[in-house]
Structure formats: C-alpha cells, structure tokens
Amino acid sequence: MIDVSRRRFIAALAAGTASAALPPPARADCARASSACANRADLRWRPGLDGQRRADLGDGTYLNPILAGDRPDPTLLRDGDDFYMTHSSFDAYPGLLLWHSRDLVNWRPVTAALHTPVGSVWAPELTRHGGRYFLYFHARRPGRRSIYVLHAPSIEGPWSAPIDLDLPDHIDPGHAVAEDGTRYLFLSGGDRVRLTPDGLARAGAVEHVYDPWRYPEDWVVESFSPEGPKIVRRGKWFYMITAVGGTAGPPTGHMVIVARARSLDGPWEHDPGNPIVRTWSVSEKWWSRGHATPFEGPDGRWWMVYHGYENGFWTLGRQTLLEPIEWTPDGWFRPLGGDLSAPITKPVDLGEQPHGLALSDDFSTDRLGLQWAFHDPAPGEAARVRRAGGVLHLKALGTSPADSAPLTCIAGDLAYRIECDVAIDEGAEAGLLLFYNRRLYAGLGLAAGNFVMHRAGLGRKAAKPQGMGRICRLRLTNDRNILTIHTSHDGGATWRKFGVQMEVSGYHHNVAGDFLSLRPALYAAGTGEARFANFTYQAL
C-alpha cells in the first residue's frame, strides 16, 4: 500500500497546494523491467547521470558520440586550455546551450545564450575576437529569414539580444579574419560578406568567392547543398571546410569537403582527397556524417567535431562526434577514426571529469535553458511556469500538444523511461509525450473525465481506470523506438499497462521535416493549469 505521507502529497498536488516533493517511487530492477537491459552487452558506453550513456569509458578511451542526442551542427571554440561548443537549437527556447570541456570528451553545460525568440535557429558559429565572444546563427520564422549575432564579455554572459544582420538569402555563417584584420562571414553556397570591425553589422554586399567541389553524379545523396563553411588558418594556408550532399535524406548523402587558399580572397584549391569524411554504406554505425570543424586539441594533435545520425535511430537526431585527424606532408589533413564504431584514445586524460546533464528533475530549481526548453514559444512564454515546493505549475495553452508549446528535453539513449506525477484543473489536459514537432508526437494526456491517447500527432479519448480522478503518475518507456505506457493512481505503488503500444521509429526529419529529434516532453492544454512533480529519467 502507498504510505500515508505520499497519499497526503498526492492530495495536495491535485489541489495545487503541495509544499514539498517526495522522492520518486522505488523502481523495479532494470533487468526485470525492460528487455533493453538484457542487451546491455551491446551498449559499451559508460553510464553517467541517470544512467545516460557517456563517451568516456574510464580506461583512457572514449566511444562516440561525445554528446548523445540531438546536438547537431557543432561549432567549437578553443580559448586557451578551455573548449566551448554549441549546436543548432532550432525551435527550442531558451536556446544555444553552451558546453565546456578541457579534454574534448567530457562536457558540462554552462548557459543558454539565446532567450529572445527569432525563429528556428540553425548552424551557429561561436568565436572570440578582441576579447569578446560572438555567436552568429541563421534563424527563420514566417515572413523573415536572416543571420543574427549575439555577443558577450564572457562565455557565461550576459549575452546580448539578437542583432539582425539582414542576410535573408543564406544560412550557416562561418567567421573568419583576414591577414589585414578584416572580419568576414563565410556563408552557404561559397559566398561571404565583410563585417564591420565590431562584428555587429555588414560592411558590404555579399560576394561569391568559392565554387564547391562536386561529387560524382551517380552518388546517392539528398542534394548538393553546400553549407556550414568553417575557416581555419594553419601556417600560410586558410582552409575552408564545407558540408555537401544534404544533411538528411539517404544515409550516404552528407559529407565533408576541404579547400585551401593563401588568402581569404582565393583562389581556392580543392583537396584531391575529397570528400574526406562520408558514410559509404548503410551498414556503418554513423549515417549522414558532416558539418565539421577542425581544431588543435589539448594534446597538440588535431581533431574535428561533426555530427551524424546513429544507424537505425534517426529519432535521436544528429549527435556530436569527435575524430582525430593528421596533417599530410603536402598540407592536407586526413581523418583517423574510421567509421567511429570502435573506442578511440582520448586526447588527454585529466582524471574523472564532470559530464552531461541530469534529466531527472524535482522542480526545486529553475532549469530552463539547461534541461528544459519550450518548443516554438511565443515571447514571454516563460511566464507560464511557476515552481513551488517541488511542483512545476504550468499554465495551460492551446487545445492539444500541437499548439501548447510543450516543455521538452533532449534524450540521447537508445532505451529509457520517464515518469512524472501529473495533476490538472478541471478544464485542463496534461501529460507526458515523446514529442517530435507540432505534427508528430505520441504519449498520454490526463483530462478530467478521460485519458487522451496521442499517436502520430492525433489525439483520441480513452477510458480512465475506475476511481482515477484528476491526478495520476504517468510512465513512458521508449525501448529502441517501441513506446509502452503505464499509469498509476497511487503515485507509483501499483501500475496499469495502457492498452496500446506504439512504434515510433518514423518520428524523424525524413518523415516530418524540421531537423529535430524525438524528445521527452510535458504539456498542458485547455484552461487553468497543470501541476507536475517528481519527473524521473532513467536510461535502460
């Protein structure tokens, strides 16, 4: 039977008067709870926070990805002995979460740089110039596409509001400084634009300076799409690293190409080894590999970060990969990691380092921008959230998950379980989801008189067990893209399996667009508010 203290807490949660969260209910041993644990031998990653997979294997090696889950279009800045990285955050706000590392394998979150919604955020560029930090990125929303810049005196901020550079026809800015100190943004398609000395405005018209290398016509790719230019200077050469072949589509499409020139004005010479990175077969561990940034690591050797889809798991989005490279006698560089399915020696061993972000949340502190982000929010969306006594109060919005701006977090495990106590006002509907975008999601919502089953972005009423009111604990288990739902009317003491299971492997970009990932989410629609407590995440 459920203990008296938890019974009182559940009653207070339903009434909106709970003053202290209880510890989550005990879990069954994972070997009994999920078939995923029976296959643990194939998961060679080291378990980290909440059991999440961790690249550092603890023996001087690491196994990609270095950041699991949807961390695409990585941009990396070396600042002395410190390395900072961020990624495309798309429709998630707060966005552009910055990460810090000293060994390139273990990463801790620092802060979210972007808080003002300007649309879906693509392919940022993080750089430091003149003692100041800059973030350039493309963003698009209905009626406006452009490239923006944020700036800050330190990596922790405060970061400025976004400044529109009025570049509506390009994506994927890459910052570069010429021999004479002139600042440029290199852009998609082989174009560039000169910046003012402070880096906060254009100082001229866009010009075409580079015709990207083209792959053979019979290669299986998505589209040509030259994008993501990164400029690196080494010795007397400037190197331009570009992605071509399309970011998604066929697994063999995306690739990394290189060109070099003595000056940023060109002429640019193609690497005779292009493409230097590509997925050649669908049997490889990582698909659609591209969008690379090379840099000198803490060991004096060179490395590059880029992204890729995990074979069979488009639902996790594009994950961040780290690969060693070597320079050849003729001044080009070559990757050394193969298909990245095997462990690689770490750049440097600094002992045990913090890594990752715990996803379980007792709602005692504000974790917006680190763990939680609204999907496609309106300005001022954060005002919907209030925390009190270990309970997250979320004002209801819209009529369904599609228009309620759910709170989402990024999962990077092949199998995991999420649970949460959910309580609603009379006119509200709220629950747990695996959310891709406003057109595609799955999960279960609690309404006053019924459940609402969500599948493929469509809602359907379902009967609640007898005696269940406006509070329950929900559990979603995503076991390698098989979704199973459980409900509990007594806070997790006993569980009832929901009558429908779902297969969600098709909830990804090649089906629904938007370049996103399938994410755990909380939503509240209708009127009044919903209350959430004791959110737990456990990798299986």
Side-chain angles (χ1 to χ4, degrees), residues 78 296-303 347:
R78 178 171 185 174
E296 186 176 0
D299 55 349
R301 295 184 295 161
W302 280 69
W303 300 76

mmCIF file of all heavy atoms in Angstrom, residues 78 296-303 347:
data_model
loop_
_atom_site.group_PDB
_atom_site.id
_atom_site.type_symbol
_atom_site.label_atom_id
_atom_site.label_comp_id
_atom_site.label_asym_id
_atom_site.label_seq_id
_atom_site.Cartn_x
_atom_site.Cartn_y
_atom_site.Cartn_z
ATOM 1 N N ARG A 78 38.261 27.076 -29.226
ATOM 2 C CA ARG A 78 39.322 26.877 -28.235
ATOM 3 C C ARG A 78 39.697 28.233 -27.662
ATOM 4 O O ARG A 78 39.997 29.178 -28.397
ATOM 5 C CB ARG A 78 40.542 26.205 -28.855
ATOM 6 C CG ARG A 78 41.656 26.036 -27.822
ATOM 7 C CD ARG A 78 42.820 25.190 -28.276
ATOM 8 N NE ARG A 78 43.759 24.999 -27.163
ATOM 9 C CZ ARG A 78 44.825 24.207 -27.200
ATOM 10 N NH1 ARG A 78 45.093 23.511 -28.295
ATOM 11 N NH2 ARG A 78 45.600 24.094 -26.150
ATOM 12 N N GLU A 296 43.051 22.416 -33.105
ATOM 13 C CA GLU A 296 44.153 21.816 -32.360
ATOM 14 C C GLU A 296 43.677 21.492 -30.951
ATOM 15 O O GLU A 296 43.116 22.336 -30.253
ATOM 16 C CB GLU A 296 45.354 22.755 -32.312
ATOM 17 C CG GLU A 296 46.579 22.141 -31.671
ATOM 18 C CD GLU A 296 47.795 23.053 -31.717
ATOM 19 O OE1 GLU A 296 47.682 24.177 -32.261
ATOM 20 O OE2 GLU A 296 48.861 22.652 -31.190
ATOM 21 N N GLY A 297 43.907 20.252 -30.511
ATOM 22 C CA GLY A 297 43.419 19.811 -29.218
ATOM 23 C C GLY A 297 44.397 20.075 -28.092
ATOM 24 O O GLY A 297 45.488 20.634 -28.292
ATOM 25 N N PRO A 298 44.052 19.656 -26.888
ATOM 26 C CA PRO A 298 44.900 19.923 -25.724
ATOM 27 C C PRO A 298 46.208 19.136 -25.747
ATOM 28 O O PRO A 298 47.134 19.457 -25.000
ATOM 29 C CB PRO A 298 44.026 19.480 -24.545
ATOM 30 C CG PRO A 298 43.096 18.477 -25.121
ATOM 31 C CD PRO A 298 42.824 18.937 -26.519
ATOM 32 N N ASP A 299 46.288 18.116 -26.600
ATOM 33 C CA ASP A 299 47.490 17.297 -26.700
ATOM 34 C C ASP A 299 48.423 17.737 -27.815
ATOM 35 O O ASP A 299 49.434 17.085 -28.064
ATOM 36 C CB ASP A 299 47.089 15.840 -26.921
ATOM 37 C CG ASP A 299 46.172 15.661 -28.136
ATOM 38 O OD1 ASP A 299 45.687 16.686 -28.669
ATOM 39 O OD2 ASP A 299 45.940 14.520 -28.553
ATOM 40 N N GLY A 300 48.096 18.846 -28.490
ATOM 41 C CA GLY A 300 48.907 19.311 -29.608
ATOM 42 C C GLY A 300 48.562 18.645 -30.916
ATOM 43 O O GLY A 300 49.001 19.101 -31.982
ATOM 44 N N ARG A 301 47.780 17.559 -30.861
ATOM 45 C CA ARG A 301 47.290 16.940 -32.082
ATOM 46 C C ARG A 301 46.030 17.660 -32.561
ATOM 47 O O ARG A 301 45.455 18.466 -31.835
ATOM 48 C CB ARG A 301 46.982 15.458 -31.858
ATOM 49 C CG ARG A 301 48.208 14.600 -31.530
ATOM 50 C CD ARG A 301 47.797 13.138 -31.414
ATOM 51 N NE ARG A 301 46.886 12.929 -30.288
ATOM 52 C CZ ARG A 301 46.089 11.857 -30.159
ATOM 53 N NH1 ARG A 301 46.090 10.918 -31.098
ATOM 54 N NH2 ARG A 301 45.308 11.729 -29.103
ATOM 55 N N TRP A 302 45.614 17.341 -33.789
ATOM 56 C CA TRP A 302 44.432 17.972 -34.354
ATOM 57 C C TRP A 302 43.267 16.998 -34.344
ATOM 58 O O TRP A 302 43.430 15.788 -34.467
ATOM 59 C CB TRP A 302 44.717 18.470 -35.773
ATOM 60 C CG TRP A 302 45.464 19.777 -35.764
ATOM 61 C CD1 TRP A 302 46.751 19.972 -35.370
ATOM 62 C CD2 TRP A 302 44.947 21.053 -36.131
ATOM 63 N NE1 TRP A 302 47.090 21.307 -35.477
ATOM 64 C CE2 TRP A 302 45.997 21.997 -35.951
ATOM 65 C CE3 TRP A 302 43.731 21.517 -36.616
ATOM 66 C CZ2 TRP A 302 45.849 23.349 -36.228
ATOM 67 C CZ3 TRP A 302 43.572 22.869 -36.903
ATOM 68 C CH2 TRP A 302 44.626 23.767 -36.698
ATOM 69 N N TRP A 303 42.092 17.574 -34.201
ATOM 70 C CA TRP A 303 40.846 16.828 -34.102
ATOM 71 C C TRP A 303 39.774 17.545 -34.914
ATOM 72 O O TRP A 303 39.958 18.695 -35.327
ATOM 73 C CB TRP A 303 40.395 16.732 -32.643
ATOM 74 C CG TRP A 303 41.381 16.038 -31.765
ATOM 75 C CD1 TRP A 303 42.554 16.550 -31.282
ATOM 76 C CD2 TRP A 303 41.306 14.687 -31.316
ATOM 77 N NE1 TRP A 303 43.215 15.605 -30.538
ATOM 78 C CE2 TRP A 303 42.473 14.452 -30.535
ATOM 79 C CE3 TRP A 303 40.377 13.664 -31.462
ATOM 80 C CZ2 TRP A 303 42.717 13.229 -29.921
ATOM 81 C CZ3 TRP A 303 40.613 12.441 -30.850
ATOM 82 C CH2 TRP A 303 41.773 12.236 -30.101
ATOM 83 N N PRO A 347 42.048 12.485 -26.198
ATOM 84 C CA PRO A 347 43.089 13.483 -26.448
ATOM 85 C C PRO A 347 44.023 13.664 -25.260
ATOM 86 O O PRO A 347 45.237 13.798 -25.420
ATOM 87 C CB PRO A 347 42.288 14.763 -26.726
ATOM 88 C CG PRO A 347 40.960 14.290 -27.195
ATOM 89 C CD PRO A 347 40.696 13.024 -26.444
#
